[in-house]
Amino acid sequence: MSSKSTYFIANWKMNGSPKDLIQIKNLDFFIKNRFKKHNKLIVYCPPQPLIAYFAKKIRSKNIKFGSQDVSNNNFAFGAFTGEVSSHILKNSGAEYVIIGHSEKRLAGDNYNTIKQKINNANQNKLKIIFCIGESLKENKNKNSLLILKKQILASLEKGLNFKNILFAYEPVWSIGTGIIPSQSYLIKVFSELKKILIRHYSVKSPKLLYGGSVNAQNIQSLKMIPNCNGYLIGGASLTSKNFIDIIQNYYS
Ligand code: PGA
């Protein structure tokens, strides 16, 4: 593990209510008391209406907030019903944004929309959690690396501030299925991602995350993957108990 922070990013998807502040408070209490010395960063990405409320209530140097999406319109404000700009997100307390999640790709985000979202977030200095990942079919056809490369090259322009981009490798077949890739497979993918990012963007030490069915059991093997700087966690981040178990097992 490098001296960089380890990221534990909670993707709450379409879950949560103001009452769930208690989950974040529990986690805050736990890390302040038990894991002070570890270099870690927790980012909660709840549904957008909860960001401002949570961000106001939780002031912690280890806990930040992010959005699960951003508008692809390049305006701070305007007549775009239902859209939320990166400017508005920033003002509501978000420092991060997830872009390119496979569930959003499935709902219609294409390479171009994703590129626009990334550019908007980059312009407003939001930190970007850029998700990439192949489908089961692409994996079975041994096309994973090709797809990942395509997803990267089609949506990332060269002038971006790469210090503000986290790359989350989330194989679609692993999300919510309880199945995770083998260690050797992940080692290969992460090393190839590094090669792509250095060759095409001169990014020497990208921050790479893994996402897909991360839980308190499999974190023991996932933490052995070299070049992995953290995790994007869905289901197991919803309760503080499960989320704390993951962090605890990671450091044990
Ligand atoms: P999961 O979701 O941990 O529930 O598999 C991860 C994600 O979709 O980011």
PDB file of all heavy atoms in Angstrom, residues 11 13 101 103 170 174-177 211-214 232-236, ligand 1:
ATOM      1  N   ASN A  11     -21.568   4.531  -2.107  1.00  0.00           N
ATOM      2  CA  ASN A  11     -22.549   4.872  -3.136  1.00  0.00           C
ATOM      3  C   ASN A  11     -23.905   4.365  -2.652  1.00  0.00           C
ATOM      4  O   ASN A  11     -24.211   3.183  -2.763  1.00  0.00           O
ATOM      5  CB  ASN A  11     -22.146   4.210  -4.465  1.00  0.00           C
ATOM      6  CG  ASN A  11     -23.165   4.463  -5.556  1.00  0.00           C
ATOM      7  OD1 ASN A  11     -24.087   5.264  -5.390  1.00  0.00           O
ATOM      8  ND2 ASN A  11     -23.004   3.772  -6.679  1.00  0.00           N
ATOM      9  N   LYS A  13     -26.763   4.968  -3.841  1.00  0.00           N
ATOM     10  CA  LYS A  13     -27.749   4.807  -4.920  1.00  0.00           C
ATOM     11  C   LYS A  13     -29.079   5.457  -4.497  1.00  0.00           C
ATOM     12  O   LYS A  13     -29.055   6.485  -3.824  1.00  0.00           O
ATOM     13  CB  LYS A  13     -27.891   3.327  -5.284  1.00  0.00           C
ATOM     14  CG  LYS A  13     -26.521   2.692  -5.550  1.00  0.00           C
ATOM     15  CD  LYS A  13     -26.559   1.341  -6.189  1.00  0.00           C
ATOM     16  CE  LYS A  13     -25.131   0.848  -6.377  1.00  0.00           C
ATOM     17  NZ  LYS A  13     -25.037  -0.386  -7.114  1.00  0.00           N
ATOM     18  N   HIS A 101     -21.124   5.722 -13.894  1.00  0.00           N
ATOM     19  CA  HIS A 101     -21.532   4.469 -13.251  1.00  0.00           C
ATOM     20  C   HIS A 101     -22.340   3.625 -14.240  1.00  0.00           C
ATOM     21  O   HIS A 101     -23.118   4.168 -15.031  1.00  0.00           O
ATOM     22  CB  HIS A 101     -22.369   4.777 -12.004  1.00  0.00           C
ATOM     23  CG  HIS A 101     -22.568   3.565 -11.145  1.00  0.00           C
ATOM     24  ND1 HIS A 101     -23.475   2.586 -11.468  1.00  0.00           N
ATOM     25  CD2 HIS A 101     -21.944   3.154 -10.013  1.00  0.00           C
ATOM     26  CE1 HIS A 101     -23.412   1.625 -10.549  1.00  0.00           C
ATOM     27  NE2 HIS A 101     -22.483   1.951  -9.653  1.00  0.00           N
ATOM     28  N   GLU A 103     -24.882   1.892 -13.928  1.00  0.00           N
ATOM     29  CA  GLU A 103     -26.344   2.048 -13.843  1.00  0.00           C
ATOM     30  C   GLU A 103     -26.801   3.319 -14.575  1.00  0.00           C
ATOM     31  O   GLU A 103     -27.909   3.362 -15.121  1.00  0.00           O
ATOM     32  CB  GLU A 103     -26.788   2.042 -12.362  1.00  0.00           C
ATOM     33  CG  GLU A 103     -26.724   0.630 -11.792  1.00  0.00           C
ATOM     34  CD  GLU A 103     -26.523   0.540 -10.281  1.00  0.00           C
ATOM     35  OE1 GLU A 103     -26.715   1.535  -9.576  1.00  0.00           O
ATOM     36  OE2 GLU A 103     -26.156  -0.566  -9.813  1.00  0.00           O
ATOM     37  N   GLU A 170     -15.226  -0.998 -11.981  1.00  0.00           N
ATOM     38  CA  GLU A 170     -16.372  -1.744 -11.471  1.00  0.00           C
ATOM     39  C   GLU A 170     -16.888  -2.680 -12.563  1.00  0.00           C
ATOM     40  O   GLU A 170     -17.691  -2.252 -13.427  1.00  0.00           O
ATOM     41  CB  GLU A 170     -17.513  -0.790 -11.089  1.00  0.00           C
ATOM     42  CG  GLU A 170     -17.186   0.138  -9.962  1.00  0.00           C
ATOM     43  CD  GLU A 170     -18.460   0.579  -9.234  1.00  0.00           C
ATOM     44  OE1 GLU A 170     -19.376   1.109  -9.889  1.00  0.00           O
ATOM     45  OE2 GLU A 170     -18.533   0.370  -8.024  1.00  0.00           O
ATOM     46  N   SER A 174     -20.091  -7.712 -11.449  1.00  0.00           N
ATOM     47  CA  SER A 174     -19.749  -7.825 -10.033  1.00  0.00           C
ATOM     48  C   SER A 174     -20.645  -6.948  -9.155  1.00  0.00           C
ATOM     49  O   SER A 174     -20.752  -7.168  -7.944  1.00  0.00           O
ATOM     50  CB  SER A 174     -18.282  -7.424  -9.874  1.00  0.00           C
ATOM     51  OG  SER A 174     -17.842  -7.743  -8.603  1.00  0.00           O
ATOM     52  N   ILE A 175     -21.292  -5.969  -9.770  1.00  0.00           N
ATOM     53  CA  ILE A 175     -22.099  -5.018  -8.990  1.00  0.00           C
ATOM     54  C   ILE A 175     -23.365  -5.690  -8.470  1.00  0.00           C
ATOM     55  O   ILE A 175     -24.180  -6.196  -9.252  1.00  0.00           O
ATOM     56  CB  ILE A 175     -22.448  -3.774  -9.833  1.00  0.00           C
ATOM     57  CG1 ILE A 175     -21.162  -3.008 -10.174  1.00  0.00           C
ATOM     58  CG2 ILE A 175     -23.434  -2.868  -9.085  1.00  0.00           C
ATOM     59  CD1 ILE A 175     -21.351  -1.846 -11.102  1.00  0.00           C
ATOM     60  N   GLY A 176     -23.482  -5.735  -7.157  1.00  0.00           N
ATOM     61  CA  GLY A 176     -24.678  -6.275  -6.519  1.00  0.00           C
ATOM     62  C   GLY A 176     -24.877  -7.776  -6.673  1.00  0.00           C
ATOM     63  O   GLY A 176     -25.939  -8.297  -6.337  1.00  0.00           O
ATOM     64  N   THR A 177     -23.869  -8.477  -7.169  1.00  0.00           N
ATOM     65  CA  THR A 177     -24.040  -9.919  -7.418  1.00  0.00           C
ATOM     66  C   THR A 177     -23.374 -10.794  -6.357  1.00  0.00           C
ATOM     67  O   THR A 177     -23.606 -11.994  -6.311  1.00  0.00           O
ATOM     68  CB  THR A 177     -23.409 -10.310  -8.775  1.00  0.00           C
ATOM     69  OG1 THR A 177     -22.006  -9.974  -8.715  1.00  0.00           O
ATOM     70  CG2 THR A 177     -24.062  -9.588  -9.930  1.00  0.00           C
ATOM     71  N   GLY A 211     -14.635  -1.450  -7.342  1.00  0.00           N
ATOM     72  CA  GLY A 211     -16.022  -1.462  -6.868  1.00  0.00           C
ATOM     73  C   GLY A 211     -16.768  -2.657  -7.417  1.00  0.00           C
ATOM     74  O   GLY A 211     -16.526  -3.108  -8.538  1.00  0.00           O
ATOM     75  N   GLY A 212     -17.687  -3.172  -6.632  1.00  0.00           N
ATOM     76  CA  GLY A 212     -18.499  -4.327  -7.031  1.00  0.00           C
ATOM     77  C   GLY A 212     -18.515  -5.352  -5.926  1.00  0.00           C
ATOM     78  O   GLY A 212     -17.528  -6.042  -5.693  1.00  0.00           O
ATOM     79  N   SER A 213     -19.640  -5.403  -5.163  1.00  0.00           N
ATOM     80  CA  SER A 213     -19.837  -6.406  -4.113  1.00  0.00           C
ATOM     81  C   SER A 213     -18.778  -6.412  -3.023  1.00  0.00           C
ATOM     82  O   SER A 213     -18.504  -7.455  -2.417  1.00  0.00           O
ATOM     83  CB  SER A 213     -19.933  -7.815  -4.729  1.00  0.00           C
ATOM     84  OG  SER A 213     -21.115  -7.923  -5.499  1.00  0.00           O
ATOM     85  N   VAL A 214     -18.170  -5.256  -2.764  1.00  0.00           N
ATOM     86  CA  VAL A 214     -17.184  -5.196  -1.673  1.00  0.00           C
ATOM     87  C   VAL A 214     -17.920  -5.421  -0.347  1.00  0.00           C
ATOM     88  O   VAL A 214     -18.969  -4.827  -0.095  1.00  0.00           O
ATOM     89  CB  VAL A 214     -16.461  -3.828  -1.640  1.00  0.00           C
ATOM     90  CG1 VAL A 214     -15.517  -3.737  -0.440  1.00  0.00           C
ATOM     91  CG2 VAL A 214     -15.711  -3.582  -2.940  1.00  0.00           C
ATOM     92  N   LEU A 232     -15.183   1.485  -3.994  1.00  0.00           N
ATOM     93  CA  LEU A 232     -16.496   2.112  -4.166  1.00  0.00           C
ATOM     94  C   LEU A 232     -17.513   1.063  -3.721  1.00  0.00           C
ATOM     95  O   LEU A 232     -17.574  -0.036  -4.290  1.00  0.00           O
ATOM     96  CB  LEU A 232     -16.683   2.508  -5.637  1.00  0.00           C
ATOM     97  CG  LEU A 232     -17.993   3.196  -6.023  1.00  0.00           C
ATOM     98  CD1 LEU A 232     -18.263   4.418  -5.155  1.00  0.00           C
ATOM     99  CD2 LEU A 232     -17.920   3.642  -7.496  1.00  0.00           C
ATOM    100  N   ILE A 233     -18.256   1.411  -2.691  1.00  0.00           N
ATOM    101  CA  ILE A 233     -19.054   0.391  -2.001  1.00  0.00           C
ATOM    102  C   ILE A 233     -20.532   0.768  -2.039  1.00  0.00           C
ATOM    103  O   ILE A 233     -20.910   1.866  -1.602  1.00  0.00           O
ATOM    104  CB  ILE A 233     -18.574   0.268  -0.534  1.00  0.00           C
ATOM    105  CG1 ILE A 233     -17.052   0.039  -0.515  1.00  0.00           C
ATOM    106  CG2 ILE A 233     -19.317  -0.871   0.178  1.00  0.00           C
ATOM    107  CD1 ILE A 233     -16.409   0.275   0.835  1.00  0.00           C
ATOM    108  N   GLY A 234     -21.356  -0.130  -2.551  1.00  0.00           N
ATOM    109  CA  GLY A 234     -22.789   0.127  -2.643  1.00  0.00           C
ATOM    110  C   GLY A 234     -23.507  -0.412  -1.420  1.00  0.00           C
ATOM    111  O   GLY A 234     -23.486   0.178  -0.333  1.00  0.00           O
ATOM    112  N   GLY A 235     -24.145  -1.571  -1.583  1.00  0.00           N
ATOM    113  CA  GLY A 235     -24.989  -2.159  -0.540  1.00  0.00           C
ATOM    114  C   GLY A 235     -24.371  -2.164   0.853  1.00  0.00           C
ATOM    115  O   GLY A 235     -25.043  -1.837   1.840  1.00  0.00           O
ATOM    116  N   ALA A 236     -23.089  -2.506   0.939  1.00  0.00           N
ATOM    117  CA  ALA A 236     -22.465  -2.652   2.261  1.00  0.00           C
ATOM    118  C   ALA A 236     -22.097  -1.321   2.907  1.00  0.00           C
ATOM    119  O   ALA A 236     -21.543  -1.296   4.007  1.00  0.00           O
ATOM    120  CB  ALA A 236     -21.223  -3.542   2.146  1.00  0.00           C
TER     121      ALA A 236
HETATM  122  P1  PGA B   1     -22.323  -2.940  -4.696  1.00  0.00           P
HETATM  123  O1  PGA B   1     -22.378  -1.633  -5.614  1.00  0.00           O
HETATM  124  O2  PGA B   1     -21.217  -2.734  -3.691  1.00  0.00           O
HETATM  125  O3  PGA B   1     -23.676  -3.008  -4.059  1.00  0.00           O
HETATM  126  O4  PGA B   1     -22.025  -4.086  -5.599  1.00  0.00           O
HETATM  127  C1  PGA B   1     -21.217  -0.961  -6.011  1.00  0.00           C
HETATM  128  C2  PGA B   1     -21.524   0.146  -6.975  1.00  0.00           C
HETATM  129  O5  PGA B   1     -22.466   0.008  -7.771  1.00  0.00           O
HETATM  130  O6  PGA B   1     -20.862   1.184  -6.969  1.00  0.00           O
END
